[in-house]
Amino acid sequence: MIQRGAEPILVGLARGDIGPAYPRERFLEGEAVQGGVRNLILNSWQRCRSLGLPLGGMELPYQEDVDPESRLVRAAGPVLDRLRARFMGSQMNISLADGSGMVLLRRFGDESWARTLPDIQRVPGFVFAERFAGTNGIGLALVERQLIQVYGAEHFAERGQANGCRAIPVHDPISGRVEGILCLGYPRNASHPALDEVVRKAAQAIESRLLEESSARECALLRAYLEASRVRTEEPSGGGQAIGVDTFIERLHHHDRTVIKEKAAELLSHAQRAATVVSLSDGRRVTLMSRPTTSASGVEGIAVEAVFHDRAPRQPLTLPRRPDTPYHAAPGPDGPAAGAASGTVGTTDGQARGLVLVGEPEVGKYALAARRRMELLSEASARIGTTLDVRRTAQELAETAVPQLADFVTIDLSDAVLRGEEPLDLRNDLRRAVVHGIHDDCPFYPVAKRIDFHPTTPQLRCVNTGMAILEPDLEAASGWLAQDPEHTERLLAHVRSLIAVPLIARGVVLGIASFYRSLDPAPFGDDDRSLAQELATRAALSMDNARRYTREHNMVLALQRSLLPQGVPDQNAAEVAHRYLPAESRVGGDWYDVIALPGTRFGLVVGDVAGHGLHSAATMGRLRTAARSFAELDFPPDEVLTHLDNLVVRLDREEHGEGAADGFGIIGATCLYAVYDPTSQRCTMARAGHPPPALVSPDGSVSFPDLPAGPPLGLGGLPFETAEIEAPENSQLVLYTDGLIEDRHRDIDVALDQLRDALAHPGRTPEDTCQAVLDAVAPAHPGDDIALLVARTHALAPHQIATWDLPADPAVVSEVRAAAARRLTDWGLEEVSFVVELVLSELIANAVRHGTGPLRVRLLHDRTLICEVSDTSSTAPHLRRAATTDEGGRGLFLVAQLAQAWGTRHTPDGKVIWAECALGPP
């Protein structure tokens, strides 16, 4: 039973799953024990084994010169006495060790039981650091720097397995460093959860007594300074000389107060007589002077006075006359309470003089360090996360930490995180992303190298625990040294201490940040560890935001690319090259397409959906599919745009309601559609709010055809106009989206001139032209998508075309068949003569019966043989299934069976019925 205040705590047997005797045996035999042992214990076992520690009773270092009057012993003694009274009669072993693991004090719940213990468990002076004693409470608390619990079988040494313990670090409240370790040891069957609170409150009590001792020393220094001031101003002792706490500079501007306090802390930390001049925001100047002072008990410190060169307003407060009345300075936001007193103490030659700061130099150093840590955190808020790029965010973390916190920083991230995906097992998926330091010759693993950390390294330990791991002395860090002995030996010539911090955001570990300090500065302390943890936490959130953005960006980009054409159709009318360049930060809805049309023609389309992101990409896919469908129906360019405009209006209405159809469309898009005919070497095009195309003539001249602009898609009800231009053979048609020429850092006319210069090279291939245009015209950091389409035109040679103009008379069918057969023989296509003659017969007969004359028959010899029959009627035929009793209706059915494709297209003068016949075997 343990007495907890007035309430007894029943102590029972430890649960069977917290004493891993069998896992320890398996570990010692080299078997895997992950999952059966806590991570911090397994890490400690691995470190002990790498040090070659024996399993039996190892010899511990012993120090005879334990100082019974040390500051920590004085502060902790009464607290340990109270613990002994609380656990009176129990087998509780209460220990206090210093920052090196040496035991300073021992208290026992049962003194008669304590006399039966060996010296190692009873006498102060033995060192229980992990590298000497193996896994134990004091040593593990020094390594992990947090409250820890060690069950009996978790001790590495066999002699400790009969006991359990809880241990917690004791920090100096001013410096933040670990001053010592408080440890409660007990039989392993006497564990109880309430002991966590007991040992935690006891450590807090010791820390409070350490702070009180520091405050008493500062108060003594303050009184010594006041007595010296009275002597200098020739006032009698106890004469009521004024001193105000935070009154001397309270009427100054906040910025001026901050500057004065910071400069005063710097003077205090220098520990010598000095002076500096501070300029205030109102033009006045203040001289800060530091004076050594010594208290009656021999405490040496520094007092910092301020002298205003113009008399400053003051509101003095009077110190108590009784010398035994304690003075307590209220804690302020700019430093520890013990050093932050300010006030007016006198005037000289019309100048106001006052006390700003008094304290020991070491306290001043800690106050200055605390201020700089706050400044670094403020700077980090502004510098880290300026972009949605994972690597850049990691680089910003390193640049912020060097040199204010560390001399070198390395950051290792999961490969999956760099790709924007969820991170995998960091033990097998780490890659160096950043190496940054005060100089570049430190032999760290280079950027892009795959990193495989040993399980005992601080880097993997921090991942397993989720907390920053501090290694003040890397020469004694066995786990770090075991990673790569040859490499770490070279690093030891440059670095001294390490803080390894996991980059955790929303419960996900993204990577590891390692902060290194070189040989010259003081090694890292616990305050540095807390600061590194805070910096890493902020950076990890920004990295995770960037990772999520990268994932979304990659998803949209993948969708965008999947919706774009994966190639161009096989045709002889043009050589075509294309490029798609997504925006640097977001993906839009740009698209392009190349469409093979009947009659050896081809269509070129470029378009741009307004907005960015997944919705724009999806809308782009719908518009591109629709544009291809309308084009393959052989609508002229203006009608294709009209149908697309109606589609965008319907999409708006479906997604946003009927009101969206009024006024400007919510979706909105621009489009340019051009159709090139190699038989006439003419190009017909129309645009809907899109930039005009460029035409590069065979002689190298570049023009931008005066094509009617047309309204953007989605306005609804407005007409589009078609224009026709000459495009001689070996001309280049260049279509593009506005992302190529529109940039906030450049005038659009300048961009068009750059485009003109880049295109004025007719000898280039379309592929070379695409690359030259992007190199010369595209913005360095595109803010919008860029789609580029370049087509070099070819003409169909006259000997590949056969044309007959005929009257609408059935008698001409036999004449055309005979003429066609002769031409096919000239082309060497006798094997398809029967099929072509039959197809021509049916098409001409259909035109004679249902159309109006005159007729024109044309054969085009290209990759296939194309038969065309045109008339002046606008009535389009359609395929139907004839009944067995019908005398007609089978002509087009036969054509559809014999040709690989057939169809109808309308012209300004009527229509054309065409059929495409393969030239080789199917």
Side-chain angles (χ1 to χ4, degrees), residues 221-535:
L221 285 173
L222 178 60
R223 289 195 177 89
Y225 166 77
L226 294 177
E227 291 298 327
S229 298
R230 293 187 183 101
V231 172
R232 289 199 306 271
T233 56
E234 298 181 350
E235 290 190 7
S237 178
Q241 174 60 49
I243 174 68
V245 178
D246 291 335
T247 59
F248 182 63
I249 57 175
E250 68 177 358
R251 294 189 180 183
L252 297 179
H253 188 274
H254 172 73
H255 173 73
D256 293 336
R257 294 199 306 269
T258 301
V259 171
I260 288 177
K261 290 181 179 181
E262 182 174 359
K263 293 296 183 182
E266 289 182 4
L267 289 176
L268 179 61
S269 65
H270 292 331
Q272 60 185 357
R273 187 182 297 272
T276 185
V277 176
V278 179
S279 297
L280 303 182
S281 58
D282 60 3
R284 291 184 298 166
R285 292 178 300 117
V286 177
T287 299
L288 298 179
M289 299 180 296
S290 59
R291 299 177 183 274
T293 184
T294 304
S295 69
S297 60
V299 177
E300 296 182 351
I302 298 292
V304 180
E305 296 178 343
V307 178
F308 280 79
H309 297 278
D310 295 321
R311 182 181 294 272
R314 47 190 173 139
Q315 290 183 335
L317 299 178
T318 302
L319 270 183
R321 294 176 181 269
R322 292 173 53 192
D324 58 340
T325 303
Y327 173 88
H328 296 283
D334 300 307
S342 61
T344 302
V345 298
T347 60
T348 303
D349 298 330
Q351 297 175 334
R353 178 187 299 272
L355 174 66
V356 177
L357 201 63
V358 63
E360 296 177 271
E362 288 298 315
V363 177
K365 291 179 182 178
Y366 298 137
L368 186 60
R371 181 186 300 279
R372 288 175 177 169
R373 283 192 291 269
M374 293 179 64
E375 292 172 351
L376 180 58
L377 288 176
S378 177
E379 180 183 354
S381 299
R383 292 187 60 180
I384 299 176
T386 60
T387 66
L388 288 172
D389 182 85
V390 175
R391 285 185 176 88
R392 180 57 197 157
T393 303
Q395 184 70 32
E396 289 168 346
L397 169 60
E399 292 173 352
T400 301
V402 175
Q404 292 94 326
L405 172 63
D407 295 322
F408 302 95
V409 175
T410 64
I411 299 178
D412 307 305
L413 298 175
S414 167
D415 262 341
V417 170
L418 295 173
R419 297 191 301 267
E421 302 170 3
E422 291 290 338
L424 305 175
D425 185 357
L426 294 189
R427 292 172 295 183
N428 305 309
D429 188 45
L430 277 178
R431 192 171 299 278
R432 177 122 316 161
V434 173
V435 176
H436 184 68
I438 55 178
H439 51 77
D440 298 330
D441 58 350
C442 197
F444 290 106
Y445 293 132
V447 172
K449 179 178 175 59
R450 192 174 189 84
I451 308 295
D452 295 313
F453 285 116
H454 191 275
T456 61
T457 57
Q459 283 82 359
L460 276 194
R461 285 165 49 206
C462 79
V463 171
N464 292 334
T465 61
M467 300 295 294
I469 297 297
L470 169 62
E471 291 287 358
D473 184 5
L474 286 176
E475 291 185 345
S478 58
W480 181 77
L481 293 170
Q483 168 69 20
D484 184 348
E486 182 179 348
H487 180 253
T488 53
E489 187 67 26
R490 294 198 306 271
L491 280 178
L492 284 175
H494 300 268
V495 296
R496 177 181 182 180
S497 57
L498 161 69
I499 300 174
V501 190
L503 296 168
I504 302 176
R506 302 177 179 93
V508 177
V509 183
L510 309 177
I512 303 166
S514 301
F515 301 84
Y516 293 88
R517 189 167 283 179
S518 60
L519 304 177
D520 292 333
F524 285 123
D526 284 279
D527 282 351
D528 298 315
R529 183 184 64 158
S530 300
L531 178 59
Q533 180 98 45
E534 178 66 22
L535 289 176

Side-chain angles (χ1 to χ4, degrees), residues 609-688:
V609 176
H612 298 83
L614 191 63
H615 181 265
S616 294
T619 303
M620 176 274 293
R622 300 170 77 174
L623 290 184
R624 178 187 165 243
T625 301
R628 171 173 281 271
S629 299
F630 296 144
E632 289 178 343
L633 290 173
D634 229 333
F635 292 137
D638 56 333
E639 291 189 26
V640 169
L641 295 183
T642 298
H643 287 298
L644 289 177
D645 182 53
N646 294 335
L647 173 62
V648 173
V649 171
R650 288 197 300 273
L651 291 177
D652 273 334
R653 186 178 295 118
E654 291 172 3
E655 295 184 15
H656 306 287
E658 292 293 332
D662 301 331
F664 289 94
I666 296 177
I667 294 178
T670 65
C671 186
L672 170 63
Y673 178 42
V675 177
Y676 176 72
D677 188 345
T679 63
S680 64
Q681 301 179 39
R682 298 187 66 81
C683 183
T684 305
M685 59 185 71
R687 62 182 177 128

Side-chain angles (χ1 to χ4, degrees), residues 533-882:
Q533 180 98 45
E534 178 66 22
L535 289 176
T537 299
R538 298 188 183 197
L541 287 173
S542 297
M543 289 181 197
D544 193 53
N545 289 337
R547 177 189 67 82
R548 290 167 176 257
Y549 169 79
T550 301
R551 181 182 61 186
E552 298 292 337
H553 181 80
N554 290 342
M555 289 174 55
V556 175
L557 185 58
L559 173 64
Q560 173 86 331
R561 293 193 182 279
S562 70
L563 295 175
L564 292 173
Q566 305 304 307
V568 296
D570 293 332
Q571 43 81 34
N572 294 333
E575 302 171 51
V576 181
H578 50 82
R579 292 288 190 277
Y580 171 72
L581 186 65
E584 189 172 72
S585 59
R586 49 187 181 171
V587 178
D590 291 17
W591 90 90
Y592 62 88
D593 208 349
V594 182
I595 306 166
L597 298 175
T600 69
R601 298 169 303 137
F602 69 87
L604 301 175
V605 188
V606 290
D608 183 3
V609 176
H612 298 83
L614 191 63
H615 181 265
S616 294
T619 303
M620 176 274 293
R622 300 170 77 174
L623 290 184
R624 178 187 165 243
T625 301
R628 171 173 281 271
S629 299
F630 296 144
E632 289 178 343
L633 290 173
D634 229 333
F635 292 137
D638 56 333
E639 291 189 26
V640 169
L641 295 183
T642 298
H643 287 298
L644 289 177
D645 182 53
N646 294 335
L647 173 62
V648 173
V649 171
R650 288 197 300 273
L651 291 177
D652 273 334
R653 186 178 295 118
E654 291 172 3
E655 295 184 15
H656 306 287
E658 292 293 332
D662 301 331
F664 289 94
I666 296 177
I667 294 178
T670 65
C671 186
L672 170 63
Y673 178 42
V675 177
Y676 176 72
D677 188 345
T679 63
S680 64
Q681 301 179 39
R682 298 187 66 81
C683 183
T684 305
M685 59 185 71
R687 62 182 177 128
H690 201 83
L695 176 65
V696 184
S697 300
D699 61 2
S701 61
V702 181
S703 62
F704 297 92
D706 186 15
L707 180 64
L713 301 177
L715 297 184
L718 298 177
F720 299 95
E721 297 182 54
T722 298
E724 189 173 76
I725 62 172
E726 294 285 342
E729 187 172 14
N730 290 323
S731 299
Q732 286 192 6
L733 290 169
V734 182
L735 284 67
Y736 51 89
T737 55
D738 56 5
L740 179 67
I741 59 174
E742 292 185 4
D743 181 27
R744 60 181 180 179
H745 303 294
R746 177 183 59 184
D747 188 82
I748 190 170
D749 292 331
V750 174
L752 289 174
D753 290 339
Q754 293 174 340
L755 179 59
R756 189 188 305 272
D757 294 339
L759 294 175
H761 299 276
R764 287 178 177 154
T765 65
E767 285 288 341
D768 293 339
T769 299
C770 280
Q771 193 59 48
V773 168
L774 291 182
D775 291 342
V777 187
H781 303 283
D784 195 4
D785 292 13
I786 297 174
L788 177 63
L789 201 55
V790 178
R792 183 192 295 278
T793 62
H794 296 311
L796 204 62
H799 68 271
Q800 295 176 276
I801 306 173
T803 305
W804 297 276
D805 291 319
L806 307 171
D809 185 352
V812 301
V813 174
S814 60
E815 299 178 10
V816 174
R817 291 181 60 173
R822 291 192 297 271
R823 179 55 63 95
L824 292 175
T825 301
D826 294 340
W827 288 340
L829 302 177
E830 295 89 346
E831 69 275 8
V832 298
S833 179
F834 175 77
V835 173
V836 172
E837 291 180 31
L838 183 56
V839 167
L840 281 176
S841 298
E842 294 299 333
L843 293 181
I844 294 172
N846 186 80
V848 169
R849 174 175 294 185
H850 302 289
T852 57
L855 308 179
R856 169 170 287 190
V857 177
R858 188 169 69 164
L859 295 182
L860 304 176
H861 179 203
D862 193 36
R863 291 174 178 266
T864 59
L865 187 70
I866 301 171
C867 307
E868 294 183 346
V869 177
S870 58
D871 61 52
T872 58
S873 171
S874 60
T875 304
H878 62 278
L879 184 68
R880 66 184 182 89
R881 182 178 297 276

